[in-house]
Every structure is written in C-alpha cells, then in structure tokens.
Amino acid sequence: MHSEIRRLIEISGSYYVAIPKPWARALRLNKGSNVEIFISKEGLIIRPYVGNKELSKPKCIRLRAYEGIERRIIAAYLKGYDIIEIMHEKNIPLKYKKKIDNITNLLIGLEIVREDSKTMLLECLWIKKEDVWGYIKRMDYIARSMYRDAIIALINRDKELAQEVIKRDDKVDKLYFLVVRMIRSLISDIGFLLSRSLDPINLLDYRLIARNIEEIADYSENIASKVLSIISGDYHSISSHIDNLKEMIEKLERLEISVLRAYEEYDTYKAMKITNTAEDIRVHLANFIYNLVCSEKPKAILVSLVDDLLRIVDLLSDIGDLIA
C-alpha cells in the first residue's frame, strides 16, 4: 500500500485532511462523493462508501452460439460477467447445448437459469469475492491430497484410488477458474479493495499461488496415471523401490502445509526453513532416481513419476520465494 504524510487542518472547529488527486481519480471519487470514516484497532480509516454495491446492476454479455462458444463463456466468466446470454438466430444446435452444459459443470457458481430453443441464460451466483484466499486453501487441500493418495495407491496397488485421484483434478480446475474470476473482479474495483482492506499486491501473489497449485494438481494427475500403468505392469520388479517413496511423500505434504502457512503469516523465518526442507527433499528424490537408473532393471516410468514430484517441489519453492 502507498502512503503519504498529510497535515490536519483546523477550520471552524473541525479537522480536515486533503486526499491526493491521483488517489481520488483511482477510487473514482469526485466532489460530493461519500466516504466512510471509522476508528479501528489500526487507527482512523477513511474509505469510499460502497453502500449496497453488491446489489448494483449485474454485468451482462450476449454471445452467439457458434464454434468456440466454450472458450467465450470461460472468458466472460473470468472477466467477471454475472449474466451470460447465449443466442442463436434460429435454434441453438444440440451440440452447442451439450457444450454449454459441460462448461456450467466446470465453472463454479455458473448455472443455466433459463432456456428455450433460441436462447440460454447463464447466471453466476453471488460469491464473496473478498474470500479468495479461502478458495485457494481449498485448492491446496485437494492438490496435496492427490499426490499423497496417488503414492498410497501405488504402495497398496489400489487402482480404484488412483482413478479417483485423477478425477480430483477437475475439482481443482473448477476452483482455479473461480479464483481467477475473483482476482480479476477485485483488481478492477479498487474502491471495493480498499473498503475491505485488501492489498492489490497480495492479489498478484494469489494469482501465482493459485496457478502453482493448479499445476501441482496436474502433476499429481500425471503421477496417478503412471501409478495405474505400474500396477498393471511388472510391479514386482520395482516393489523394493516403492516403499521408500512413502517417507518422501509425507515430507512433501508437510512442506506444502508449511509453505501456505508461512505465506499466510508472512513468516520469513519459516520461509528460510522451507528453502532448506525443499532442498533436502530434492536431494532425496535425486538419489532415488540415481538408484533406479543404476539398478539392474531400471524402470523409466518410475523415474518419470519421481521427476513429477521434483516439479512439485519446485512449484512450492516458488511460492515460498514470495515471502522473502
């Protein structure tokens, strides 16, 4: 947050302070605009008065039903449109209706509220956009459960669990689209940001963190797919190596928990420990790969699986670097 030192001026028994013009323009404040003033534990707070802004006219967009409708719906969703009307000059072809149904299943809060032969009306249900960090933590919980359970499936030769892990990636994708929508909506409304004491710099961090967690889920999905191949193939020739993965996965999950907690608390001491822990995990995973390659029957698919775990460590390290 930017700050300036301003002197209070006394006029007729009341105190006044001048607001820098660039700030007023950024917050869309003009002569006669209402501001809200109150005292908090942080001191005196002055911010634009938003009133019942959440009940203001929703953002609407009209889209024509033709090829690429899925991409245009996603783009409208991410740009913060509340109502998306899909139109066709004759009748919306069934293939497009199916695609629109699939998209509403992918995007959290987007529902088909009205439909006839020529139009479909999609509405995004109201979500507290300032709770973006809460949704990021939901992404994190699912993503780290994925690589943990993928390795458990490998150890227990549990195909059903591995398949279930693959399906969880859709849940992370849904949350990722929602988080991006929330962040873009917040960045475009500086007045609302300040009214909720949200820092725009944190939103940039949130976007990177959400992207990294989404990639962690993608790597975990890859790991689960490789687990299915290993279980279905010559499992016994590599069974002696697999047990060693359990301890490393537990360390990796603890690392991810520590990274998110350190960022939330902005704890630089924890951030330094995270760097050391991440390097320790890298060394152990690299040694694991070396032992695999040097074995009598090296298994490329298991080497590739461990390489995915190394990529996850790198993504967590990137998040930890935001604290430095």
Side-chain angles (χ1 to χ4, degrees), residues 54-76:
E54 296 293 347
L55 302 177
S56 62
K57 188 176 180 180
K59 288 178 63 178
C60 305
I61 188 172
R62 284 184 175 180
L63 303 175
R64 293 197 175 276
Y66 59 84
E67 286 300 328
I69 186 63
E70 315 100 294
R71 294 192 302 274
R72 286 178 287 123
I73 291 174
I74 291 173

Side-chain angles (χ1 to χ4, degrees), residues 240-297:
S240 59
H241 298 284
I242 290 172
D243 288 338
N244 296 329
L245 281 174
K246 185 176 181 181
E247 183 180 351
M248 282 183 275
I249 286 299
E250 290 173 352
K251 288 182 178 180
L252 184 57
E253 186 178 9
R254 287 197 297 269
L255 173 67
E256 185 164 347
I257 293 170
S258 299
V259 166
L260 269 288
R261 188 172 296 160
Y263 180 83
E264 192 170 21
E265 299 171 358
Y266 211 82
D267 191 323
T268 53
Y269 175 72
K270 285 182 180 178
M272 289 190 299
K273 292 182 65 176
I274 286 167
T275 301
N276 295 332
T277 302
E279 188 56 34
D280 180 62
I281 294 174
R282 283 194 191 94
V283 169
H284 279 81
L285 290 174
N287 288 336
F288 186 89
I289 290 176
Y290 177 79
N291 291 332
L292 275 176
V293 172
C294 293
S295 63
E296 293 182 3
K297 294 183 179 180

Side-chain angles (χ1 to χ4, degrees), residues 33-54:
S33 295
N34 292 320
V35 294
E36 185 178 7
I37 303 173
F38 62 93
I39 296 175
S40 74
K41 62 181 181 181
E42 297 176 356
L44 184 66
I45 305 294
I46 303 174
R47 66 189 186 189
Y49 178 68
V50 294
N52 292 326
K53 188 170 183 179
E54 296 293 347

Side-chain angles (χ1 to χ4, degrees), residues 72-268:
R72 286 178 287 123
I73 291 174
I74 291 173
Y77 176 89
L78 295 179
K79 288 178 181 177
Y81 283 99
D82 303 295
I83 295 176
I84 304 170
E85 187 176 11
I86 313 296
M87 304 179 64
H88 196 276
E89 57 273 14
K90 295 180 180 179
N91 295 324
I92 299 178
L94 181 60
K95 66 175 182 177
Y96 294 143
K97 287 192 174 185
K98 288 181 178 179
K99 290 179 178 180
I100 294 168
D101 279 336
N102 291 336
I103 286 298
T104 57
N105 290 330
L106 175 64
L107 303 175
I108 292 177
L110 191 64
E111 301 288 345
I112 300 172
V113 295
R114 194 178 73 217
E115 180 179 358
D116 57 40
S117 61
K118 294 184 179 181
T119 63
M120 293 180 72
L121 195 67
L122 315 183
E123 184 173 351
C124 192
L125 304 179
W126 182 80
I127 296 171
K128 289 179 67 176
K129 57 186 178 182
E130 65 267 35
D131 193 30
V132 60
W133 181 247
Y135 287 102
I136 289 175
K137 289 199 289 186
R138 292 188 197 181
M139 287 179 64
D140 165 67
Y141 180 84
I142 298 171
R144 57 186 163 86
S145 78
M146 289 174 67
Y147 57 75
R148 178 194 66 214
D149 287 352
I151 298 303
I152 290 174
L154 178 61
I155 293 170
N156 297 331
R157 302 179 68 180
D158 189 338
K159 289 184 178 181
E160 188 174 323
L161 178 57
Q163 290 166 343
E164 198 273 326
V165 167
I166 292 172
K167 292 178 182 177
R168 283 184 219 169
D169 187 55
D170 289 339
K171 296 179 181 178
V172 177
D173 287 343
K174 285 184 181 182
L175 287 167
Y176 177 66
F177 281 123
L178 176 63
V179 165
V180 172
R181 172 188 166 89
M182 295 167 78
I183 290 172
R184 293 184 66 156
S185 179
L186 285 166
I187 288 175
S188 66
D189 192 346
I190 296 178
F192 184 88
L193 264 179
L194 296 182
S195 73
R196 298 298 192 276
S197 300
L198 296 171
D199 190 334
I201 299 298
N202 285 133
L203 294 181
L204 298 177
D205 289 350
Y206 288 172
R207 181 67 184 267
L208 185 146
I209 292 170
R211 186 200 68 193
N212 281 22
I213 293 174
E214 193 270 338
E215 288 188 27
I216 288 171
D218 287 342
Y219 280 118
S220 299
E221 181 187 16
N222 290 341
I223 290 169
S225 296
K226 291 166 186 174
V227 165
L228 285 173
S229 297
I230 293 170
I231 293 172
S232 301
D234 187 12
Y235 179 88
H236 293 290
S237 65
I238 57 173
S239 59
S240 59
H241 298 284
I242 290 172
D243 288 338
N244 296 329
L245 281 174
K246 185 176 181 181
E247 183 180 351
M248 282 183 275
I249 286 299
E250 290 173 352
K251 288 182 178 180
L252 184 57
E253 186 178 9
R254 287 197 297 269
L255 173 67
E256 185 164 347
I257 293 170
S258 299
V259 166
L260 269 288
R261 188 172 296 160
Y263 180 83
E264 192 170 21
E265 299 171 358
Y266 211 82
D267 191 323
T268 53

